[in-house]
C-alpha cells in the first residue's frame, strides 16, 4: 500500500468551481493500492479577512490600547483556523459529488500536536493510525492545513503559509511516497514569475537551495515546510492546480542535492520587502554590548537577520545596523530604548522602505567571482547596497525598496537565468 499527500493553496480553492477542479485532480490520482490525504488552505482572502476580524475585536486600528499577546494569541488561532475547516467540508462534498468516497478530518480527529507558541506553532507529532487505516481503505482524507492542537487541547496555527508545513508533516507521519504541493504557478522558478517574465521553471531543486530561497522570501513554499521535508527526507513536488488532469504538469521536484546532475552557480533570485533596517549610532565599544542588544531583541521575540558592525567616528564608539521583519521594527526600537543607558547608544534610526534581494546556488561553494557579478550588476543600475550578508550558498543585499524589481531583473539577467 502506498500513500500520497496532496496540498492545495488558497487560490487553488478560491471558489466552488476551482474546488470542483481540485476534486477532479484528486480523483485522477486515485488508484488501487494508493491511499490519498489532501491538505487544504482557506479560500483565498479568507485568512486575511479572519485576521482583520480578530484585530478589530482587539481594538487594533481603533483607539483601543494594544492587548497583550497572552490575551490575544490563543483566541486569534481559534478565529483564523476556521478558514481551512470550511474548505475541508467543501472539498469533501465536491469529491462525493463525483462519486469519490471522502471525508474531512478536523484537528480533534487527527491531532497535529504542536507546542503552545500560538500563531507560529511547530508540529511535534501526528498520530496517524486512524487516518492511515481510513485512506488505505480507499476513503480520501481531507485535512485542514495551517493548524494544530496543544497538549491542553487548545488550537494553534503554524504561521502564514503554514498549510505547506501541515502537508509535509502529514506526509512524514503517513510515510507517504511524496508530498505534492499544488499552487497557482506550475513549479518553482528561477525567480518569482510574477516579477520576471523570463523566469524559468526548474525541473529539480535541492532541499538546501529551496530552504535558502524560501527563507529569502520566495513564498512558494513556507520555510518550515522545506526544513521538515529536508529533515524527514520527504520528496516534495510543486505543481499547478490550474491544469485539468491529463494535461502535462511536471512541476518541480525538491530533492536531495545528489539527485541534481548540473549544479548551477546561481539557481534562483529571491526578494523580501518585509524588512526594516535599525541603525544604532555611537554605541559604547566594549565586550558584552552586542550580547546585551541581541539578547534583549531575542527576549522580545524579534527575529534579527542581517547584522553589520562598524567603527564610529568618535573614539571607543561603534555603529550597529541590523534588519528585522518590518512589523517588528517599532517593537525593536522600544526594546533598544529600554537598554539605552546600558549600551550608551546616541541615536536610533529606523528605515522601513528597504528590501532584501538574494541570489542562491549550490554551485557557489566552488566558484569565485559570484559576489563580484552581483555587485557589478547592481552598480550598473545605480543601486546602492546598504548591507550584505552571505552563507555558503547565498548572498543577500539590503537595498532601497523602490529598486526591488529592477534589482531582481538585473541579477536574473546577470547570472544567465533569463529564458531565451
Ligand atoms: P498558495 O496559496 O498555493 O500557498 P502562495 O501564494 O503561497 O500559494 O505561493 C505561490 C506564489 O509564490 C506564486 O504565485 C508566486 O508569485 C510566488 N513565488 C515567489 N517566488 C517564486 C518562485 N521562485 N517560484 C515560483 N513562485 C514564486
Ligand atoms: N491560510 C493560511 C494563510 O493564508 C495558511 C496557508 O494558506 O498556507 O496564511
Ligand atoms: Mg502558500
Amino acid at each position: 500500500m502506498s500513500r500520497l499527500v496532496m496540498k492545495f493553496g488558497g487560490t487553488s480553492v478560491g471558489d466552488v468551481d476551482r474546488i470542483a477542479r481540485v476534486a477532479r485532480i484528486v480523483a485522477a490520482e486515485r488508484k488501487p493500492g494508493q491511499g490519498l490525504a489532501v491538505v487544504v488552505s482557506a479560500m483565498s482572502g479568507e485568512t486575511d479577512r479572519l485576521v482583520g476580524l480578530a484585530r478589530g475585536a482587539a481594538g487594533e486600528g481603533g483607539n483601543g490600547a494594544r492587548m497583550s499577546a497572552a490575551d490575544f494569541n490563543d483566541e486569534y488561532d481559534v478565529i483564523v483556523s476556521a478558514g481551512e475547516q470550511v474548505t475541508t467540508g467543501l472539498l469533501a462534498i465536491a469529491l462525493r459529488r463525483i462519486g469519490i468516497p471522502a471525508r474531512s478530518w478536523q484537528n480533534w480527529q487527527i491531532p497535529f500536536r504542536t507546542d503552545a507558541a500560538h500563531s507560529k506553532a511547530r508540529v511535534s507529532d501526528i498520530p496517524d493510525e486512524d487516518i492511515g487505516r481510513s485512506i488505505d481503505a480507499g476513503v480520501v482524507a481531507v485535512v485542514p492545513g495551517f493548524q494544530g492542537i496543544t497538549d491542553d487541547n487548545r488550537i494553534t496555527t503554524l504561521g502564514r503559509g503554514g498549510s505547506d508545513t501541515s502537508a509535509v508533516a502529514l506526509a512524514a507521519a503517513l510515510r507517504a511516497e511524496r508530498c505534492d504541493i499544488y499552487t497557482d504557478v506550475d513549479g518553482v522558478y528561477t525567480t518569482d514569475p510574477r516579477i520576471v517574465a523570463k523566469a524559468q521553471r526548474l525541473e529539480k531543486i535541492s532541499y538546501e537551495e529551496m530552504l535558502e530561497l524560501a527563507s529569502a522570501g520566495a513564498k512558494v513554499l513556507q520555510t518550515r515546510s522545506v526544513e521538515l521535508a529536508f529533515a524527514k527526507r520527504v520528496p516534495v513536488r510543486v505543481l499547478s492546480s490550474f491544469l485539468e488532469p491529463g494535461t502535462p504538469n511536471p512541476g518541480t521536484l525538491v530533492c536531495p542535492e545528489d539527485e541534481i546532475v548540473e549544479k548551477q552557480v546561481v539557481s534562483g533570485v529571491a526578494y523580501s520587502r518585509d524588512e526594516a533596517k535599525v541603525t544604532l549610532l555611537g554605541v559604547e565599544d566594549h565586550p558584552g554590548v552586542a550580547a546585551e542588544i541581541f539578547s534583549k531583541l531575542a527576549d522580545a521575540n524579534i527575529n534579527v537577520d542581517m547584522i553589520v558592525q562598524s567603527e564610529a567616528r568618535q573614539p571607543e564608539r561603534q555603529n550597529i545596523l541590523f534588519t528585522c521583519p518590518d512589523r517588528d521594527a517599532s517593537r525593536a526600537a522600544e526594546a533598544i530604548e529600554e537598554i539605552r543607558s546600558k549600551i550608551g547608544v546616541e541615536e536610533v534610526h529606523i528605515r522601513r522602505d528597504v528590501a532584501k534581494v538574494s541570489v542562491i546556488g549550490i554551485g557557489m561553494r566552488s566558484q569565485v567571482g559570484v559576489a563580484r557579478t552581483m555587485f557589478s550588476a547592481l552598480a550598473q543600475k545605480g543601486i546602492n547596497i546598504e548591507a550584505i550578508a552571505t552563507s555558503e550558498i547565498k548572498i543577500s543585499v539590503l537595498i532601497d525598496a523602490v529598486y526591488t524589481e529592477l534589482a531582481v531583473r538585473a541579477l536574473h539577467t546577470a547570472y544567465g537565468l533569463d529564458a531565451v
Side-chain angles (χ1 to χ4, degrees), residues 7 9-10 41-42 47-48 80 84 145-146 159-164:
K7 178 257 169 178
S41 287
T47 308
D48 288 343
V80 301
E84 270 68 12
F146 183 46
R160 297 306 302 265
S163 297
D164 297 328

Side-chain angles (χ1 to χ4, degrees), residues 296-317:
K296 183 74 190 169
L297 294 167
D299 290 345
N301 216 348
I302 293 165
N303 213 341
V304 171
D305 182 15
M306 297 169 148
I307 301 175
V308 180
Q309 180 180 332
S310 57
E311 255 176 49
R313 283 216 194 100
Q314 315 88 305
E316 287 168 32
R317 295 273 163 176

Side-chain angles (χ1 to χ4, degrees), residues 192-208:
D192 188 344
R194 297 191 198 284
I195 288 210
V196 179
K198 289 182 174 168
Q200 304 187 63
R201 182 175 55 80
L202 298 161
E203 289 292 322
K204 287 182 177 179
I205 185 166
S206 66
Y207 290 118
E208 290 94 329

Side-chain angles (χ1 to χ4, degrees), residues 7 9-10 41 160-164 181 183 219-222:
K7 178 257 169 178
S41 287
R160 297 306 302 265
S163 297
D164 297 328
I181 307 270
T183 183
K219 68 170 187 161
V220 61
L221 289 176
Q222 197 199 32

Side-chain angles (χ1 to χ4, degrees), residues 313-350:
R313 283 216 194 100
Q314 315 88 305
E316 287 168 32
R317 295 273 163 176
Q318 53 175 326
N319 300 330
I320 295 182
L321 169 166
F322 65 87
T323 63
C324 65
D326 186 46
R327 62 182 175 282
D328 293 339
S330 328
R331 283 199 306 116
E334 281 165 25
I336 298 297
E337 204 52 51
E338 285 172 25
I339 52 166
R340 190 169 191 137
S341 55
K342 264 193 182 166
I343 58 170
V345 59
E346 287 166 359
E347 286 174 47
V348 181
H349 296 286
I350 302 182

Side-chain angles (χ1 to χ4, degrees), residues 105-116:
W105 291 76
Q106 303 310 320
N107 246 272
W108 51 275
Q109 297 157 325
I110 178 182
F112 282 55
R113 290 278 166 215
T114 71
D115 58 20

